[in-house]
Amino acid sequence: MGALGCTVLMFALFFQCHSLSVQNPMFRSKRFQDRAWSDPNDCSRTRQSFVLSNPYNFSLDIRVPGVIPTESDSYYCTAVPVPTPWEAYIVDFVPHASMDTAHHMILYGCKTPYATQGYWDCGKELGTCRDQAKIMYAWARNAPPTKLPKDVGFKVGGDTRVNYFVLQIHYGDATYFRDHHRDCSGLTLRMTSKPQPFIAGMYLMMSVDTVIPPGKKVTNADIACTYTSSPMYPFAFRTHTHSLGKVVSGYRVRNGQWTQIGRQSPLLPQAFYPVANTIDVRNGDTLAARCVFTGEGRTTDTQIGGTSSDEMCNFYIMYYMDNTRAVPYMSCREDGSSELFRNIPPEANIPIPVSPGHMMSMKQESAPQKDVVELQEPKREEQVLDQGDLYSLLSKLLGERENVVHMHKYNSAKAARAQKRLMAEIDSIMQKKELGWPRLGYKTKADAILVRDRVHKFHQLESTVSPSRSRTVPARQPATGAAQMDQQGAHLVEVSDWPGADLQLGQVSGLALNSNGDLIIFHRGDHIWGINSFINGIYQQKDLGPIQQSTIMVVDPVKGKVLKASGRNKFYMPHGITTDKDDNYWLTDVALHQVFKLSNDGQDQQLLVLGEAFEPGSDKKHFCQPTDVTVDPVTGNIYVSDGYCNSRILKFSPEGKYISHWGAGSSDRKRRVPFWIPHSLTFLPDKRELCVADRENGRIQCFMADTGEFVKEIKKEQFGGEVFAIAYSPAQGGLMYAVNGEPPYGQAAPLQGFVINYSTKEILDSFSPDTQEFKLPHDIVVTEDGSVFVGDAASDSVIKFVSAKEEHRSVKKGGIEVQEIEETEAFVQANLKPFSKLPPRPPVAAVQKMQEPSQKQSPQPLVAPEEKKTLKSVASQSAQDVSTAIITSLLLVPLVLVIAIGVCLRWKRGRMDSDDCQVKSEPSGSAGGILGKIRGKAAGSLNLGNFFASHKGYTRQGFDRLSTEGSDLEKDEEDGTDSENEEYSAPPAPGPSS
């Protein structure tokens, strides 16, 4: 009876846990991700029209406010003011609409719209703008979102005469609204206040008088104009017709040569697609476009017009120009001469077929399959093999997706996005076991998250981004230096439990250290630097008064406890901080345009003040938003980076007397590029140099401190175009620490920190937090023991990093086990049984095989092509046959067995009946093996190298061993001690490949 009870209990627990895991929303998170084109007809959800993600980036939601069209071919408009009184830049457009509802959308920019409240009929009664309406974006036929290239934005606000956005929506079929539901279609504009080097614009080519005869198979509409403005550079195009259009093509004609800008069927999603050729258009060139129509099926003439039964012939060119000569909108409406179009390439007359099935799929889907249309980037991309995607393999086993290995075009931005997606996907694997965490010994979800991050660390350390034959270099290319750092245990990882106390910080702007090694935090309290804080460098919120909270916090670097607090009612917008040899504070305030020297006794005594309060300037006695200050520990001379308005470094004596100033240097004397926001300073005492983080130029420049003579420049693609802050350590001959910055939406490398060899300029290591994300890393300091602190202005936090070995030693102290790794091994091993009888694959010649010392390498038999095909097909079929239910049951077997053992033992002690429920003391078989792995006592371990090598496209490099040290239970049984040095052991760094 007791045995029967145990069995019933086991099955009850299994089915309960399985049903909960299936019902858990996190289990199905991949299938219900929020899409950019979320339901446009949901007018009930409250939306924030304006969202500020950090002091520079913000988004604006523009929606029609609950429109109910009463007749077909209605045009409705709504207007939204530009949210800044000065210049801002649109860097991304995200549509929220469906072709079932909206025939098309157009976004206009103008100074004075016809109305500023609600919506109006802009098709019959009124127009869009009272002045010139500038087209900025257009959408139709479920077109996916379109991202602008890096450093390109549509300029609005300020003196651009674009003070309002007007969204126009054409509703083609009113019968869709016969149930009287309301429509809230629209756009989200992602914007930045950071000046963009290139200004985007729109060139519209359209036919105004084309007539399409009924029944005529082919009718051409030709448009051509001579270009008469400054050079422009097309990077995207869009075609638009109604139902009779077959193909639309656009060209640049120069010296009789026709160069294609773009060609597309207007019946496909009418997005902005990358141009066919990277070209420029200069004064005297001709821009030409042709629309090919058919009149078949019509009984009357079809003319150009605004209704669905009319036609349109539009070819949009999205371009950029130099920001000093940019023209935001141009148009061409002239008919092209037959003589000119006699030489048009034949491709312009060949229709692009669109299958009826494709048309039906577009109508049935509320969102297209393709996520984003990536526009033309200036750098050439090379095709490489995407390797090292651990999640793809696990997903293959789970049957969630098919692509184990896929091709892509490598560039740093895409690699960064792929890295973030990979992290999220590994997270989803772990989240599927969320209900099991407490039963597996984890006290909190955060403990299991750390285990998840350690799985990712193995992947990140050992995976191969591209094969050795590729000439493309991944983002973390300096593998030699990184390997050296890893071998020395110097890779920086986050201390997840620091600080131990709540620091109650505002925007963290500056960090420093005193002579005791204490951390000093300079923050903004309840003041926030937003888009309305400054106009032309002048602070606009003086009426808020100074910050009433303590803005200077002295913190214990080990425990995070506040030791001292000061700086009340003194600062308006804190920015930079440093200390001198006497531990006095040196600080900058960008609102006051001043530099302060304060005593460190907590009394906030002003020992020296440079600059005039609230008076910006560029002479010897004024600053304009000074960003940072540093002090020469030997001479006491003061160096100020000035700053957001000025592009210079100023040098003062210890008493505050002006000595000199200088601008940027350059190794290329013929092209001296000035500073673009010198944002952070660090002094190199062993080299007598001063280094500057030139933020918007994405570089570090170093100078002789005494003379200002240029020494060197460090500029890396991995910086993503911006360097926010730097720090220096004389260790190992000189190490430079840096953090990059938050760019306009989605246009750069990931936010991370860097360790750089000062002499060779080589990136030795890159690091980022594991339990959170960098949002706006604003300052960085490094201690004598190599600990690194990063202040994040957007998350109001300070994040601590230490070397990997030090962090691993603290794993057990934090009560966190690495048991989850072993479970993952057991889980994968259990599902690889179909592969066990297959012949081994031959070794990969280009990869050095890593083996344990006790293993002997035996020759591997060669595999015939037919056998390779058989291996591939069997492996693929076996992986696809594993269901989610079986995986879940395998994961829960150890848990159920443990519970069953406990219940049986409890029952046995109470009943003293040893015959009803017996459990062997040394379980054997698959269940026992898995249980042994959970306890950390399994004799063998999973060799991921062999498994990965059996899949096409994966090298075995760095995956021959993946293991953890024994658990606490095992160590206690062996020596009876409680180890304080449990480490997470990574395999040796991969060897060089040919």
Side-chain angles (χ1 to χ4, degrees):
M1 189 68 183
L4 178 62
C6 290
T7 304
V8 172
L9 176 61
M10 290 171 62
F11 277 98
L13 286 171
F14 166 73
F15 285 112
Q16 180 183 11
C17 294
H18 176 67
S19 61
L20 286 173
S21 66
V22 172
Q23 294 173 6
N24 183 5
M26 299 304 295
F27 186 84
R28 296 168 291 161
S29 61
K30 281 181 65 60
R31 296 182 176 87
F32 292 91
Q33 292 178 350
D34 183 29
R35 292 181 177 270
W37 39 80
S38 54
D39 186 4
N41 302 313
D42 181 10
C43 295
S44 60
R45 184 165 62 91
T46 302
R47 299 182 180 90
Q48 287 184 278
S49 60
F50 177 78
V51 178
L52 182 69
S53 61
N54 60 51
Y56 316 103
N57 294 348
F58 53 96
S59 60
L60 181 66
D61 205 44
I62 306 176
R63 307 273 189 140
V64 288
V67 170
I68 306 178
T70 57
E71 59 183 70
S72 297
D73 294 315
S74 300
Y75 285 79
Y76 288 100
C77 290
T78 186
V80 175
V82 175
T84 66
W86 59 96
E87 295 171 355
Y89 303 82
I90 304 171
V91 296
D92 197 4
F93 301 90
V94 182
H96 307 280
S98 166
M99 67 181 293
D100 292 332
T101 305
H103 182 274
H104 71 260
M105 296 189 301
I106 297 179
L107 181 71
Y108 298 91
C110 61
K111 185 173 181 61
T112 309
Y114 270 96
T116 57
Q117 301 293 328
Y119 64 93
W120 68 93
D121 186 330
C122 54
K124 295 180 179 178
E125 301 174 7
L126 303 172
T128 55
C129 301
R130 297 182 183 274
D131 56 335
Q132 183 186 19
K134 304 170 183 176
I135 297 177
M136 311 187 78
Y137 181 76
W139 172 96
R141 291 185 174 273
N142 285 348
T146 300
K147 288 185 178 295
L148 273 63
K150 186 179 184 295
D151 297 331
V152 175
F154 282 88
K155 188 176 179 181
V156 299
D159 59 357
T160 63
R161 297 186 63 83
V162 177
N163 304 108
Y164 277 88
F165 300 117
V166 177
L167 175 66
Q168 180 194 72
I169 298 184
H170 173 201
Y171 295 98
D173 188 358
T175 60
Y176 183 78
F177 295 90
R178 55 180 174 267
D179 60 350
H180 300 289
H181 72 274
R182 297 180 178 274
D183 179 55
C184 292
S185 299
L187 292 168
T188 295
L189 308 182
R190 291 177 175 169
M191 307 174 67
T192 181
S193 59
K194 292 184 179 181
Q196 299 299 291
F198 304 102
I199 305 303
M202 190 73 71
Y203 192 104
L204 172 60
M205 306 183 71
M206 62 182 300
S207 175
V208 295
D209 55 7
T210 297
V211 177
I212 304 170
K216 187 175 181 181
K217 187 174 182 179
V218 176
T219 298
N220 295 330
D222 294 336
I223 316 152
C225 289
T226 301
Y227 184 74
T228 58
S229 188
S230 301
M232 76 171 184
Y233 303 88
F235 61 85
F237 74 97
R238 175 182 180 268
T239 63
H240 179 69
T241 71
H242 294 174
S243 59
L244 301 184
K246 294 298 183 182
V247 63
V248 181
S249 308
Y251 298 88
R252 180 201 68 183
V253 185
R254 177 184 292 174
N255 300 325
Q257 292 291 114
W258 290 66
T259 303
Q260 184 189 120
I261 296 174
R263 175 176 172 267
Q264 186 59 280
S265 168
L267 300 181
L268 293 173
Q270 294 180 5
F272 280 93
Y273 293 97
V275 295
N277 296 286
T278 303
I279 60 172
D280 63 349
V281 180
R282 299 184 176 274
N283 186 29
D285 291 339
T286 298
L287 289 172
R290 167 170 284 182
C291 300
V292 177
F293 297 98
T294 180
E296 293 179 329
R298 294 290 177 97
T299 58
T300 59
D301 287 348
T302 304
Q303 299 182 350
I304 300 297
T307 70
S308 298
S309 59
D310 295 325
E311 264 304 335
M312 285 189 176
C313 171
N314 294 348
F315 185 80
Y316 295 84
I317 301 174
M318 197 178 282
Y319 60 86
Y320 65 82
M321 305 176 75
D322 185 82
N323 59 8
T324 59
R325 297 173 291 178
V327 180
Y329 177 73
M330 292 177 277
S331 64
C332 171
R333 304 186 182 190
E334 300 178 9
D335 293 339
S337 65
S338 57
E339 181 180 354
L340 174 67
F341 280 85
R342 189 177 296 117
N343 298 317
I344 190 171
E347 64 191 13
N349 300 307
I350 302 174
I352 298 176
V354 180
S355 65
H358 186 89
M359 293 297 297
M360 288 301 296
S361 66
M362 283 199 306
K363 292 182 179 179
Q364 290 172 359
E365 294 173 2
S366 60
Q369 293 299 312
K370 190 171 183 180
D371 291 340
V372 175
V373 174
E374 294 289 350
L375 299 184
Q376 191 78 27
E377 293 288 349
K379 291 190 177 181
R380 181 185 172 199
E381 299 173 339
E382 296 185 47
Q383 205 172 51
V384 298
L385 188 64
D386 188 8
Q387 293 183 278
D389 191 345
L390 176 63
Y391 179 78
S392 292
L393 243 46
L394 296 180
S395 293
K396 183 74 173 177
L397 292 175
L398 291 170
E400 290 190 0
R401 75 182 187 193
E402 298 299 322
N403 57 321
V404 175
V405 179
H406 56 89
M407 301 296 293
H408 74 96
K409 290 183 179 296
Y410 178 84
N411 64 34
S412 59
K414 288 184 180 178
R417 288 192 293 271
Q419 184 79 343
K420 289 185 178 180
R421 285 197 298 269
L422 172 62
M423 193 64 176
E425 289 171 339
I426 293 176
D427 195 20
S428 73
I429 285 282
M430 294 308 202
Q431 286 171 343
K432 291 176 184 179
K433 297 188 290 180
E434 180 177 2
L435 295 177
W437 290 340
R439 302 183 183 92
L440 294 174
Y442 299 116
K443 296 180 180 179
T444 65
K445 179 177 177 180
D447 295 348
I449 289 176
L450 180 58
V451 174
R452 181 245 11 228
D453 296 337
R454 298 211 183 283
V455 173
H456 179 63
K457 279 188 185 357
F458 267 126
H459 164 74
Q460 196 173 42
L461 177 65
E462 301 297 327
S463 64
T464 306
V465 177
S466 60
S468 58
R469 65 179 179 271
S470 172
R471 290 180 292 109
T472 302
V473 179
R476 296 185 61 178
Q477 183 269 340
T480 303
Q484 291 175 355
M485 295 287 287
D486 288 335
Q487 290 171 358
Q488 298 168 4
H491 173 63
L492 292 172
V493 295
E494 178 192 5
V495 180
S496 56
D497 58 352
W498 193 95
D502 187 2
L503 295 181
Q504 297 292 326
L505 302 174
Q507 290 183 331
V508 178
S509 63
L511 300 176
L513 298 168
N514 62 21
S515 58
N516 295 326
D518 299 325
L519 177 67
I520 305 171
I521 303 172
F522 196 28
H523 71 103
R524 295 169 183 160
D526 58 1
H527 284 203
I528 297 176
W529 188 341
I531 60 172
N532 297 314
S533 299
F534 293 89
I535 297 180
N536 296 326
I538 299 175
Y539 188 58
Q540 301 295 304
Q541 298 170 327
K542 290 172 59 176
D543 55 334
L544 295 177
I547 301 169
Q548 298 180 9
Q549 296 96 338
S550 297
T551 56
I552 307 171
M553 313 283 281
V554 182
V555 177
D556 179 358
V558 177
K559 298 182 179 179
K561 180 181 178 181
V562 177
L563 306 177
K564 189 191 307 181
S566 60
R568 294 174 179 264
N569 299 308
K570 280 193 171 294
F571 303 102
Y572 286 78
M573 194 60 67
H575 203 277
I577 185 172
T578 193
T579 58
D580 58 22
K581 61 183 179 180
D582 298 320
D583 283 341
N584 296 309
Y585 303 141
W586 291 84
L587 316 102
T588 68
D589 188 310
V590 291
L592 290 168
H593 308 289
Q594 288 180 303
V595 177
F596 299 89
K597 178 183 180 181
L598 300 183
S599 63
N600 67 351
D601 55 5
Q603 302 301 315
D604 297 335
Q605 180 182 358
Q606 289 188 359
L607 305 179
L608 182 66
V609 180
L610 302 176
E612 300 292 333
F614 299 112
E615 293 186 12
S618 56
D619 56 26
K620 299 177 182 179
K621 296 183 178 180
H622 292 83
F623 307 106
C624 188
Q625 295 181 286
T627 54
D628 203 7
V629 58
T630 192
V631 180
D632 185 334
V634 176
T635 65
N637 289 334
I638 308 153
Y639 300 87
V640 179
S641 53
D642 184 35
Y644 283 95
C645 316
N646 300 323
S647 299
R648 59 181 183 170
I649 306 299
L650 293 98
K651 180 179 178 181
F652 298 88
S653 70
E655 298 76 28
K657 181 180 179 181
Y658 169 84
I659 297 177
S660 64
H661 73 271
W662 67 82
S666 176
S667 56
D668 181 2
R669 300 297 181 182
K670 297 179 180 179
R671 186 179 180 184
R672 188 180 180 92
V673 179
F675 287 133
W676 191 3
I677 307 183
H679 194 258
S680 173
L681 299 175
T682 188
F683 197 89
L684 284 56
D686 57 332
K687 304 181 186 303
R688 304 295 304 159
E689 294 178 13
L690 178 77
C691 292
V692 184
D694 189 7
R695 195 183 84 179
E696 297 301 306
N697 282 323
R699 64 187 181 184
I700 302 168
Q701 290 204 330
C702 298
F703 306 85
M704 297 302 299
D706 295 333
T707 63
E709 180 184 356
F710 174 75
V711 176
K712 69 166 56 178
E713 176 178 296
I714 303 174
K715 186 170 185 177
K716 299 290 184 178
E717 183 179 352
Q718 293 93 317
F719 294 163
E722 294 189 341
V723 179
F724 260 57
I726 54 175
Y728 177 77
S729 170
Q732 300 181 36
L735 297 176
M736 186 70 69
Y737 294 77
V739 287
N740 61 352
E742 175 68 19
Y745 284 96
Q747 292 188 8
L751 298 182
Q752 56 188 328
F754 303 92
V755 184
I756 305 165
N757 184 309
Y758 176 82
S759 299
T760 66
K761 306 182 186 180
E762 178 186 16
I763 294 180
L764 303 177
D765 186 28
S766 62
F767 58 92
S768 59
D770 298 321
T771 62
Q772 55 188 303
E773 289 186 351
F774 279 144
K775 294 183 179 179
L776 188 62
H778 200 265
D779 202 5
I780 184 171
V781 292
V782 55
T783 64
E784 289 186 2
D785 64 1
S787 299
V788 174
F789 295 88
V790 176
D792 195 298
S795 62
D796 303 342
S797 64
V798 179
I799 306 169
K800 181 179 179 180
F801 298 87
V802 297
S803 66
K805 281 189 175 180
E806 182 178 345
E807 171 67 6
H808 295 160
R809 285 195 296 270
S810 67
V811 168
K812 183 183 172 185
K813 294 180 181 179
I816 299 172
E817 305 289 346
V818 294
Q819 188 176 4
E820 186 79 4
I821 304 293
E822 296 171 346
E823 291 172 14
T824 305
E825 294 179 0
F827 151 64
V828 178
Q829 187 180 40
N831 289 282
L832 291 179
K833 290 182 178 179
F835 300 107
S836 60
K837 296 182 180 181
L838 297 177
R841 295 290 300 274
V844 181
V847 181
Q848 179 181 356
K849 183 176 180 180
M850 310 291 291
Q851 291 186 323
E852 292 183 354
S854 61
Q855 292 177 328
K856 294 183 179 180
Q857 185 172 356
S858 59
Q860 301 288 339
L862 296 177
V863 181
E866 293 79 5
E867 292 176 326
K868 292 182 180 179
K869 294 180 180 179
T870 304
L871 290 177
K872 182 178 179 180
S873 62
V874 172
S876 176
Q877 182 65 33
S878 300
Q880 292 174 358
D881 290 339
V882 180
S883 65
T884 304
I886 295 176
I887 298 303
T888 308
S889 65
L890 288 172
L891 289 172
L892 291 175
V893 164
L895 172 64
V896 173
L897 287 175
V898 171
I899 295 174
I901 291 170
V903 171
C904 290
L905 290 176
R906 195 176 188 87
W907 179 86
K908 180 178 178 181
R909 290 177 181 176
R911 297 281 185 164
M912 298 296 293
D913 186 357
S914 62
D915 295 329
D916 289 338
C917 184
Q918 294 182 357
V919 180
K920 293 184 178 181
S921 59
E922 294 180 3
S924 59
S926 61
I930 296 175
L931 179 59
K933 280 187 175 295
I934 289 180
R935 298 180 59 200
K937 295 176 68 66
S941 61
L942 171 65
N943 190 325
L944 284 183
N946 292 335
F947 170 53
F948 279 32
S950 68
H951 288 72
K952 181 181 179 181
Y954 280 86
T955 84
R956 296 175 54 178
Q957 181 177 359
F959 272 108
D960 288 290
R961 296 297 299 163
L962 177 61
S963 62
T964 57
E965 292 187 3
S967 65
D968 289 342
L969 178 60
E970 181 179 2
K971 293 185 179 183
D972 291 344
E973 290 176 350
E974 291 176 355
D975 54 28
T977 61
D978 185 12
S979 172
E980 293 293 333
N981 296 307
E982 180 175 335
E983 294 185 9
Y984 183 87
S985 58
S993 60
S994 60

